[in-house]
Amino acid sequence: MNEFREIRAWRIEPARMIADLMINWVYLQCLAHRTTDELTLDYAPGKRAEIEEDIRHGAFFMTNHRDIVLDSAWLSMLLEKRYNIRPFIGIGNNLFGKWWIEPFVRFNRAFVVKRDCSAKDVGRQSKTLSKYILHLRNQHKSIWLAQREGRAKDGNDVTQNTVVKMLAIGSEEGLIDTIIRLNICPVCINYEYDPCDYLKAQEMQLRRDNEGWKKSKEDDLLSMATGIKGYKGRVVFRMTPSINRWIEANRDELDEMSRNEQITAIAHQIDCQIHANYEIYERGTKFETYLRQQCNKIHIDNKDEDFLMNKLHEMYQNPVINYEKSHLSGII
């Protein structure tokens, strides 16, 4: 385990028990009661039996990414309550804005995804991360990782090819066999209201107006606090079957592809399963008022209200567009 010292989760049992009590059985459940109308773990229609078979010996839960903290925290809580599964969680070290965050999350089954390494060091860090993930799966441990680096600001959830590529870079097996061993089970995360929507729209204008603009650690901490405390309406985590079933059905075709084509096909399949399982919320006439209120929270120089309102609409419309495309195309 020495080669994983920089990134691995820390496992001291008394600390884990305290973290379990504080986070899972007190704080997260109280938070759900305070900030949601309903928090549920659901399944792709007609697929519950398949999914429960797929996760029996652990799984790699890959999700779209809405909230910095709660995507993984609530999924972990829901899986533990129903199946006694506690996934190991990949968290970027860009979120370690306070001294206590890193030890706290690493004692609670989080491993580190390094975001601040030099271009020269990216390959080594990716290989170490890949090997650690494979090490966990070899022990039948479950894992959570987002489909992309950072949240999808515009609501258009697309798996990054670089994430799929990283998963296999530390393996001595071929790409397809490595992905099979990981047992990727996509999960679609749905928030009726995103408390950080106005911060995401603000960030998009700042990036538009200043090509060199970068988020600070203070910005990340503000997004974390806003996402945790803000109202979310109905929240649904919808599980889907392992992509191994799709791989088995298409193995001959996949074997004929180049490695890059395989990576693209795998990323696309993850997207398909997520897009087809969005929760589509009915938006009443008051929704436009809500968006205007969120836009009014933005205070920046040269505020472009038309641009910001367009981006707020976009982040709620894109999941609906992707859902409709997935069902019309017959890919599910």
Side-chain angles (χ1 to χ4, degrees), residues 22-47:
M22 290 174 59
I23 296 177
N24 291 335
W25 302 115
V26 181
Y27 187 70
L28 287 177
Q29 294 189 76
C30 290
L31 192 65
H33 288 304
R34 281 205 319 270
T35 68
T36 77
D37 294 328
E38 185 179 31
L39 173 63
T40 58
L41 182 65
D42 197 9
Y43 308 89
K47 301 293 185 179

Side-chain angles (χ1 to χ4, degrees), residues 75-93:
L75 178 61
S76 181
M77 181 189 77
L78 292 166
L79 288 170
E80 183 172 35
K81 287 173 68 175
R82 188 166 297 180
Y83 297 111
N84 197 30
I85 292 174
R86 285 289 307 282
F88 284 77
I89 295 166
I91 183 169
N93 67 336

